[in-house]
């Protein structure tokens, strides 16, 4: 009858729903069995120990960090907020040596060239010193010496004790008008220095000498001179010593 047929259909429907709700679906083909975990382990005492991190206090932490920065700046007044100034150095290895960055400290030669008496005094006025680094070219010495001189021109040295007269200390008016440096903005950026040095030369008209010059042979000669400069200097010194020795015999 139609009623019996509808009851059988309804019974089969409920059995199929029960089967699929209790039993997992079998996988199709050569695929892994679906066993994804989409439940967060909120309970800190559970087996997963609550591996859920929330950051609902981002705005509060941002404000607290700002307050801490202001307190730290006020505590170290009049010293610069960002600490001692640092030199411009090249990154190591041939792959990165075209880039520049802030180094650990200035060399002894750079400190002397800037007019500072010694490294101990340099550290007391906010200059980082690295006695292990050495200058291998005139360019780095000139750049960092100019960096130090720019810093010294902006520097106001406070007396160690109020009212005490010392050599190289700013006047009372300068000390009252001094402001705290927070960003070292008056110094050239160490990272952009290397990029600016790599900028190509602006187009220009070739000179007569450059037009006649064979570029390949010219570059080979420059490389040869650089490679053989030590041997040539040694040869000239040996020849000079031999001539002096011959002159003494006469």
């Amino acid at each position: 009858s139609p009623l019996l047929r509808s009851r059988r259909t309804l019974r089969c429907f409920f059995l199929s729903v029960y089967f699929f709700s209790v039993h997992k679906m079998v996988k199709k083909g050569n695929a892994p069995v679906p066993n994804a975990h989409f439940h967060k382990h909120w309970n800190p005492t559970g087996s997963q120990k609550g591996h859920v991190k929330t950051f609902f206090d981002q705005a509060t932490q941002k404000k607290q960090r700002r307050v801490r920065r202001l307190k730290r700046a006020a505590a170290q007044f009049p010293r610069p907020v960002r600490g001692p100034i640092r030199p411009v150095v090249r990154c190591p290895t041939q792959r990165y040596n075209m880039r520049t960055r802030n180094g650990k400290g200035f060399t002894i030669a750079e400190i002397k060239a800037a007019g500072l008496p010694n490294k101990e005094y340099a550290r007391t006025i906010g200059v980082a010193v690295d006695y292990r680094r050495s200058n291998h070219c005139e360019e780095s010495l000139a750049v960092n010496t100019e960096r130090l001189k720019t810093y010294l021109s902006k520097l106001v040295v406070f007396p160690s004790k109020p009212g005490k007269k010392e050599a190289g200390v700013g006047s009372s008016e300068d000390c009252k008008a001094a402001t705290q440096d927070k960003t070292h903005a008056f110094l050239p950026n160490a990272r952009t220095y290397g990029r600016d040095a790599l900028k190509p030369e602006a187009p220009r008209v070739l000179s007569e000498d450059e037009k006649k010059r064979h570029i390949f042979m010219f570059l080979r000669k420059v490389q040869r001179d650089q490679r053989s400069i030590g041997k040539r200097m040694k040869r000239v010194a040996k020849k000079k010593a031999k001539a002096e020795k011959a002159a003494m015999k006469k």
Side-chain angles (χ1 to χ4, degrees), residues 150-205:
T150 305
Y151 173 72
L152 293 175
S153 66
K154 305 282 185 180
L155 181 67
V156 177
V157 181
F158 280 57
S160 57
K161 292 182 181 179
K164 186 178 180 181
K165 293 184 178 179
E166 297 174 293
V169 175
S171 62
S172 58
E173 291 80 9
D174 292 340
C175 293
K176 288 179 182 178
T179 57
Q180 189 178 28
D181 177 45
K182 297 181 179 179
T183 58
H184 292 336
F186 60 91
L187 292 174
N189 191 348
R191 290 186 177 273
T192 58
Y193 172 77
R195 274 180 254 155
D196 295 341
L198 287 175
K199 285 183 179 178
E201 184 183 354
R204 60 179 177 82
V205 180

Side-chain angles (χ1 to χ4, degrees), residues 220-230 232:
R220 287 296 299 271
K221 183 179 182 302
V222 171
Q223 293 173 356
R224 211 163 38 241
D225 293 342
Q226 289 178 347
R227 187 172 61 246
S228 307
I229 187 169
R232 292 175 181 176

